[in-house]
Amino acid sequence: MTLATVTTDNDQTSQPTSRFEDRYNKRLYHKRRLINRLGLGFAISAIAFGLFWLAWILLTLFVEGFQGLIEMPVFMADTPPPMGDGGLRNAIIGSLMIALLGLAIGTPIGMMAGIYLAEFSQGSLLGKVTRFLNDILLSAPSIVIGLFVYALMVKGQSFSGWAGAVALALIVIPIVVRTTENMLNLVPNTLREAAYALGTPKWKLISTVTLKAAKAGLTTGVLLAFARITGETAPLLFTALNNQYFSTDMSQPMANLPNTIYQFAMSPYDNWHALAWAAALLITMTVLIVNILARFIGGKDHTR
């Protein structure tokens, strides 16, 4: 038996091993390489096409916007009449007031709903319905939200900053709900189990353990929601409308940058066009800064 085994092994080792180059299908290999190169070429072409238009838009925006910022008293005067001198002070203040108030209204509601979905729903029917409705609200066009708030708060009354803030809050809520739920689901269950082992009640666990562990992600979600509502035009067109004069009365129509851009860009006056470019640059820079800040906070949390 030992001799036969040795003889068999010697016979197997004496056979020449075939190389990979002799066994693979060269035609199929070259065909796959060609398809791979074509797909990669199309992908790179699509990226270059998109980046070209994005760079063109940003370059035009920065050139025209900086020209408007230099030539006009943007931060010192209110929106002017046609062919008059003026700036964007009332629109800037109005946009900040409406956006911050909408964020203040929508953030607590969104966080409470997100906490419920992550910590309490546990596959319940109410949780499934809430999550489904939140997804619908998240994908709803902003003009539909503006029309809804118009029918609820403006029709039969008057345009107001409060209505604009409510419309923006309805945009903030689904974003904060989704972010809060996702961030809390990323918190390891071992932290919850350790807190329960020490006799921590549910409310204290959420407030001092899970929310604290996910605070960077929650802050990022709030900042991204603020960046989203900063440039919304359609909801404010149906709710806050616009105001040529400086006003901090939230019960009256208020000036805001998105509607000022819409109104001035459609006009035939050169000074209004310059102010529209300046306002567009201000909104773009605000969104850019907020997104960079959100990424910095989120990245800082991951490096710990």
Side-chain angles (χ1 to χ4, degrees):
M1 292 295 294
T2 305
L3 181 60
T5 303
V6 172
T7 304
T8 304
D9 292 342
N10 290 336
D11 293 341
Q12 290 178 355
T13 55
S14 63
Q15 295 178 359
T17 58
S18 60
R19 297 182 305 168
F20 173 74
E21 290 80 1
D22 298 332
R23 289 184 287 110
Y24 81 100
N25 190 330
K26 294 183 180 181
R27 182 177 180 181
L28 179 61
Y29 176 71
H30 289 300
K31 179 181 178 180
R32 289 177 175 176
R33 286 192 64 182
L34 177 62
I35 295 175
N36 179 69
R37 289 177 179 175
L38 289 176
L40 186 61
F42 283 127
I44 295 176
S45 300
I47 294 174
F49 181 80
L51 289 178
F52 170 76
W53 293 107
L54 177 62
W56 192 355
I57 292 172
L58 290 178
L59 180 62
T60 305
L61 176 62
F62 275 92
V63 171
E64 298 289 344
F66 273 118
Q67 184 177 356
L69 289 176
I70 294 173
E71 295 178 353
M72 301 289 183
V74 173
F75 302 101
M76 303 300 296
D78 297 335
T79 49
M83 303 307 294
D85 295 330
L88 298 170
R89 182 183 61 173
N90 56 336
I92 294 173
I93 299 299
S95 287
L96 286 176
M97 291 180 62
I98 296 174
L100 291 177
L101 184 59
L103 192 69
I105 296 173
T107 299
I109 299 174
M111 281 195 174
M112 295 299 292
I115 291 172
Y116 169 76
L117 293 176
E119 301 289 345
F120 295 98
S121 64
Q122 298 175 349
S124 64
L125 178 61
L126 179 60
K128 294 179 181 178
V129 172
T130 302
R131 193 175 289 108
F132 176 72
L133 294 178
N134 184 75
D135 292 339
I136 294 176
L137 187 60
L138 186 64
S139 59
S142 59
I143 192 170
V144 175
I145 296 175
L147 187 60
F148 168 75
V149 178
Y150 170 82
L152 186 67
M153 300 181 63
V154 177
K155 187 177 180 180
Q157 302 179 39
S158 65
F159 296 97
S160 65
W162 290 111
V166 170
L168 296 184
L170 292 178
I171 299 175
V172 169
I173 289 174
I175 301 174
V176 177
V177 169
R178 174 66 62 83
T179 305
T180 302
E181 182 186 6
N182 290 340
M183 291 300 105
L184 292 180
N185 286 333
L186 293 176
V187 177
N189 285 328
T190 53
L191 292 177
R192 298 180 175 90
E193 294 171 357
Y196 282 136
L198 296 174
T200 307
K202 185 75 171 181
W203 67 269
K204 195 172 185 62
L205 164 69
I206 295 173
S207 60
T208 60
V209 178
T210 55
L211 287 180
K212 186 176 181 180
K215 62 180 181 180
L218 300 179
T219 304
T220 301
V222 173
L223 291 176
L224 293 177
F226 179 74
R228 164 72 187 279
I229 65 175
T230 301
E232 287 291 345
T233 305
L236 299 182
L237 186 63
F238 284 97
T239 54
L241 197 60
N242 209 342
N243 193 341
Q244 184 179 348
Y245 305 102
F246 184 86
S247 175
T248 57
D249 186 2
M250 294 290 292
S251 62
Q252 298 296 325
M254 292 192 68
N256 53 86
L257 287 175
N259 280 334
T260 299
I261 295 173
Y262 173 76
Q263 178 184 353
F264 283 13
M266 298 293 290
S267 71
Y269 309 109
D270 293 336
N271 64 323
W272 280 15
H273 291 169
L275 287 174
W277 282 111
L281 179 61
L282 289 177
I283 291 180
T284 303
M285 293 299 297
T286 301
V287 173
L288 177 62
I289 292 172
V290 170
N291 277 274
I292 292 175
L293 183 61
R295 287 189 172 272
F296 173 76
I297 294 175
K300 186 177 180 180
D301 182 65
H302 288 302
T303 56
R304 293 179 179 177

